[in-house]
Amino acid sequence: MCDHRRILKNVANNENACNDDGGLRVDAWGCEGASDQLFGDTHVPAQSKRDAAPSEAPTPAIAGGPMSAPALTESELRRIHTSAGWRRDRVEVFETSLGRVIAKGHRPTRSPAPQRVLAWLARLVRVPFLRAPIVHGGARSQEIEIRRLRALRAAGIPVPKVLHVATDFFVMTWLGGDHLAEVLHRRHPHAFALWRDAAEALVGVHAAGQYLSQCFGRNIIVHAEPDPPVIAGLIDFEDDPLEIMSLPEAQVHDWLIYLQSTLWDLHAPREQVDAVLDRLMATERAEVRALFALACKRLGWLRILPESRIFGRDTIAVQAVAAAAHRWVGRHRQDAVAV
């Protein structure tokens, strides 16, 4: 039986647990560090381009909460607004009366070239939902992220809470600095359990009729202090896959991104990985299972890519997810034949 409801409840309970951690790791927000994924990664580390966007009052509480939620003080907002940090680095963490919060500036408008390359790859393997969602940049990306954060929170998904919106930045709660990709790379004793918990949380997102898009390991925040550590929440929603694909396709896109960004650095027996994937995929809707089977059938041949790390992380990441896809087809031949 899938335990995604327990995982999401635990995540929600630990949403702000990282706020007392002394180490601020901006890279956990996907705004620093090198782009390390191939399928659909639209991450561009750069200073924001400050396009204009409509001003908005501080966000009220999510559905079911009090109408007068705690807000940042005028002096705190003034300090954030006048800071050069988020203008220079795009993100900046502040200590406030509400705990740690993060200010996030605009993403620069980007070239369509990466989307074209990924569209070509999607055509090559005949899996259209491998295409990268469009990251518009500027005010439009900020509007999309705020809208998606609110929709996800209203659905009970543990994501940052929007606290304030300005023309060139917005402020949200800070979930913490550790992320799943880092935990896997360190070979933490609980790495596999966290990988499984994050996969179960993904099922919970889909069961709520939602989707993530940038479901990379670096965007899954981990509260590492408890023993065992727990998933703290999910971040980075500057694009909307539904602009170019259906909801079931977006949810399979989540799975492919998650597996491709984690399997290559997950040091666990294949049998354990496959058992978790079988159990969780069985709980997905029929449309998602069928599309996942189609993707596995068409991606499996990429397992011939070299596994050695000397060929680069992108290559071995694709090889790892292709190998898992090939094993899936072998275990579910009837599903693969049906598509």
Side-chain angles (χ1 to χ4, degrees):
M1 178 180 178
C2 177
D3 209 10
H4 60 263
R5 292 182 180 84
R6 174 187 60 81
I7 297 297
L8 286 179
K9 182 178 180 181
N10 289 344
V11 171
N13 289 340
N14 285 280
E15 182 186 53
N16 295 313
C18 292
N19 285 356
D20 294 327
D21 182 12
L24 303 188
R25 290 295 306 278
V26 174
D27 61 343
W29 288 86
C31 298
E32 298 294 333
S35 172
D36 60 348
Q37 313 302 340
L38 182 59
F39 294 163
D41 189 359
T42 51
H43 166 60
V44 177
Q47 189 172 353
S48 67
K49 180 178 180 180
R50 295 167 53 196
D51 299 328
S55 295
E56 186 173 324
T59 306
I62 62 173
M67 293 303 295
S68 56
L72 296 167
T73 66
E74 289 187 11
S75 62
E76 290 169 341
L77 288 174
R78 191 179 308 112
R79 176 163 56 95
I80 294 171
H81 179 76
T82 58
S83 175
W86 60 263
R87 290 182 169 86
R88 181 186 63 247
D89 303 323
R90 238 196 116 219
V91 292
E92 185 177 4
V93 177
F94 295 87
E95 297 285 355
T96 73
S97 58
L98 301 183
R100 279 182 183 158
V101 302
I102 186 164
K104 188 173 185 178
H106 286 181
R107 175 185 289 277
T109 303
R110 61 172 295 144
S111 164
Q115 280 83 13
R116 291 171 182 164
V117 171
L118 289 162
W120 174 84
L121 176 64
R123 288 194 299 270
L124 175 67
V125 297
R126 295 180 298 147
V127 180
F129 40 90
L130 282 181
R131 291 176 296 166
I134 301 168
V135 177
H136 301 279
R140 189 169 178 186
S141 280
Q142 176 170 299
E143 181 276 326
I144 288 172
E145 181 155 31
I146 291 167
R147 170 171 53 81
R148 296 208 57 214
L149 284 168
R150 288 173 172 165
L152 288 162
R153 279 188 68 86
I157 310 304
V159 298
K161 181 178 182 179
V162 178
L163 300 171
H164 178 76
V165 180
T167 56
D168 49 358
F169 73 97
F170 73 102
V171 184
M172 55 189 157
T173 52
W174 188 76
L175 299 186
D178 293 316
H179 54 82
L180 182 63
E182 186 177 64
V183 169
L184 296 181
H185 193 65
R186 292 201 311 255
R187 302 195 185 188
H188 191 283
H190 295 284
F192 178 76
L194 285 167
W195 178 86
R196 180 201 60 216
D197 287 353
E200 291 182 347
L202 181 57
V203 171
V205 170
H206 295 170
Q210 296 294 322
Y211 53 98
L212 299 179
S213 179
Q214 298 293 327
C215 192
F216 301 105
R218 67 165 185 261
N219 290 334
I220 300 171
I221 304 302
V222 173
H223 184 201
E225 294 303 318
D227 188 15
V230 296
I231 304 296
L234 309 162
I235 61 169
D236 201 354
F237 303 98
E238 294 179 326
D239 58 39
D240 189 346
L242 297 193
E243 292 182 342
I244 61 170
M245 63 185 75
S246 68
L247 176 60
E249 288 175 333
Q251 291 175 343
V252 176
H253 182 271
D254 283 348
W255 275 110
L256 296 176
I257 294 296
Y258 179 66
L259 296 174
Q260 185 258 346
S261 68
T262 59
L263 287 183
W264 72 275
D265 214 13
L266 178 63
H267 302 278
R270 291 177 177 177
E271 295 78 11
Q272 290 185 21
V273 172
D274 293 347
V276 169
L277 189 56
D278 287 348
R279 175 172 62 85
L280 296 182
M281 192 56 61
T283 68
E284 288 278 18
R285 290 183 300 153
E287 306 97 305
V288 174
R289 294 198 305 271
L291 288 170
F292 184 77
L294 173 65
C296 288
K297 184 177 180 180
R298 294 181 176 175
L299 286 172
W301 66 273
L302 290 171
R303 70 188 186 282
I304 65 174
L305 291 172
E307 298 181 52
S308 173
R309 300 197 176 205
I310 65 172
F311 291 94
R313 186 161 48 183
D314 286 343
T315 300
I316 60 174
V318 173
Q319 192 283 330
V321 72
H326 180 69
R327 298 196 305 272
W328 170 273
V329 172
R331 299 191 308 276
H332 302 272
R333 291 194 180 278
Q334 185 173 356
D335 293 339
V337 169
V339 296

